[in-house]
Amino acid sequence: MRRLAPACLALAAALLGCSSGSGSGEGGGPAGAAEKPAASGDRAAAQPVSYTSRLPIARYSYTETENAAIEYAQQLLTQRCLKSYGIAYEPEKPDQGSAESADRRYGVSNPTEAALFGYHPNPDSLRDDQVDLPKEALPVFYGNRSAAPGSGDEIRYKGKRVPDAGCFGQSVGKLSKEYDAPDAAAVASRIATGSYDESLADPAVKEVFRKWSSCMRKAGFRYASPNEPVNKSEFQGDTISAKEKKTAVADVRCKEATGLLDIWFKAESAIQKTKVRENAEALEKLSAAHRKKAAAARRIVAGDEGAAK
């Protein structure tokens, strides 16, 4: 059964650097970089607004360009590792122009996507992480993922031992070990997830939830908060029903009618600003680590063999 990962967790992943593994994180642009929200009546035709990338903590996550460089560098390191086993592998260059679902930190927000996909993501935005390798070469790429840490279970390919985490895991770890700042990233992640949780108790957010709920009742739906329909079991399957689309469309319309998205964003932004000030030292350390890791990735992409130790 499909489960939608909360956007607050996606942002936390980008802050932690998890996005450099096998998928880009949500957010990542400098706070304030995105356009201002369009007027409610113009939103259907306007470029979707990214609330996530405008939150104060987003400035401490990787940018899309940095993520792309890191992911490609990891793929190139993986390619070199596989070559040492006689396995040919050609990684695809990152495509930063691929389609993305509209920002969903506060639930569905784009009327066009709601009408087409309900609470499901835009299928064009889903990554295909299939590795184009022969079946017998996949353990060299992935390693022994079923083995318990420290178990000593080995994988050998043509008589040569394979890294426990495989060539890909080893390549991710190579950059992470040298440049990640896990303690600082954990601080940023706690801010990203904690501010979302705290915002649910904000009086302005609770009041606009009540207005949204009233609007939904008039449309024939009974939900206390916009977090309820997205997590409804009947909207979690592989198919998208007419009921799901109708609910999602009403959801977006009620958000627009009540100003819910902007009110929620402002409330969470205020919470984050305080937390960012309180944790300035750790966050600056995280920014420095991100810059160094991205620079190292760019050197690898450029062919500098000494970029990663």
Side-chain angles (χ1 to χ4, degrees):
M1 182 177 289
R2 177 186 61 89
R3 291 291 177 190
L4 295 175
C8 58
L9 298 183
L11 175 56
L15 292 160
L16 282 165
C18 299
S19 59
S20 61
S22 58
S24 58
E26 187 171 354
E35 68 281 2
K36 291 182 179 180
S40 296
D42 299 330
R43 237 177 229 160
Q47 184 73 16
V49 174
S50 174
Y51 290 94
T52 302
S53 66
R54 293 167 56 236
L55 286 165
I57 198 61
R59 72 176 72 242
Y60 301 100
S61 64
Y62 290 105
T63 66
E64 289 184 10
T65 300
E66 288 171 339
N67 255 326
I70 292 168
E71 289 186 9
Y72 193 46
Q74 289 167 169
Q75 289 290 332
L76 291 176
L77 291 175
T78 301
Q79 180 188 46
R80 296 173 193 174
C81 174
L82 290 169
K83 187 177 180 180
S84 71
Y85 292 88
I87 300 171
Y89 174 66
E90 192 62 38
E92 292 186 8
K93 290 189 176 181
D95 180 12
Q96 295 186 54
S98 59
E100 293 184 3
S101 274
D103 186 86
R104 293 196 177 190
R105 186 169 183 85
Y106 308 124
V108 288
S109 60
N110 183 275
T112 301
E113 285 195 358
L116 291 173
F117 314 120
Y119 291 100
H120 286 65
N122 181 342
D124 292 336
S125 71
L126 300 179
R127 292 169 55 109
D128 181 5
D129 288 329
Q130 295 284 337
V131 178
D132 187 17
L133 287 174
K135 185 177 180 180
E136 63 271 16
L138 291 177
V140 185
F141 188 97
Y142 290 115
N144 195 354
R145 294 186 290 180
S146 62
S151 65
D153 292 344
E154 292 185 6
I155 291 179
R156 303 188 79 84
Y157 184 81
K158 295 183 178 180
K160 185 178 178 181
R161 181 175 177 178
V162 174
D164 291 342
C167 283
F168 178 70
Q170 176 178 267
S171 300
V172 172
K174 193 170 188 178
L175 280 173
S176 296
K177 182 177 179 181
E178 184 71 20
Y179 298 105
D180 283 356
D183 291 343
V187 170
S189 178
R190 286 195 296 271
I191 293 173
T193 55
S195 63
Y196 180 92
D197 292 338
E198 289 185 30
S199 70
L200 296 173
D202 184 278
V205 173
K206 292 171 75 173
E207 175 59 27
V208 80
F209 276 15
R210 283 192 287 270
K211 292 179 180 178
W212 174 91
S213 180
S214 176
C215 176
M216 289 292 283
R217 281 199 302 274
K218 292 176 182 177
F221 305 99
R222 289 189 172 274
Y223 295 105
S225 90
N227 287 335
E228 288 186 6
V230 70
N231 290 312
K232 194 170 183 178
S233 59
E234 67 177 294
F235 299 157
Q236 295 289 323
D238 294 331
T239 60
I240 305 173
S241 67
K243 180 180 179 181
E244 178 183 346
K245 293 178 183 179
K246 187 177 179 181
T247 305
V249 168
D251 184 345
V252 174
R253 286 176 178 168
C254 286
K255 283 172 179 168
E256 292 179 344
T258 60
L260 183 148
L261 295 169
D262 293 342
I263 291 170
W264 198 348
F265 168 75
K266 289 175 183 176
E268 187 177 12
S269 293
I271 293 168
Q272 283 196 4
K273 285 178 183 178
T274 299
K275 292 180 180 293
V276 166
R277 285 195 300 269
E278 294 172 349
N279 294 276
E281 184 177 352
L283 294 176
E284 288 307 317
K285 180 180 178 181
L286 181 62
S287 286
H290 282 182
R291 289 193 297 270
K292 290 178 182 177
K293 186 172 182 177
R298 287 191 289 268
R299 291 195 296 270
I300 293 172
V301 172
D304 183 350
E305 296 296 328
K309 299 178 182 178

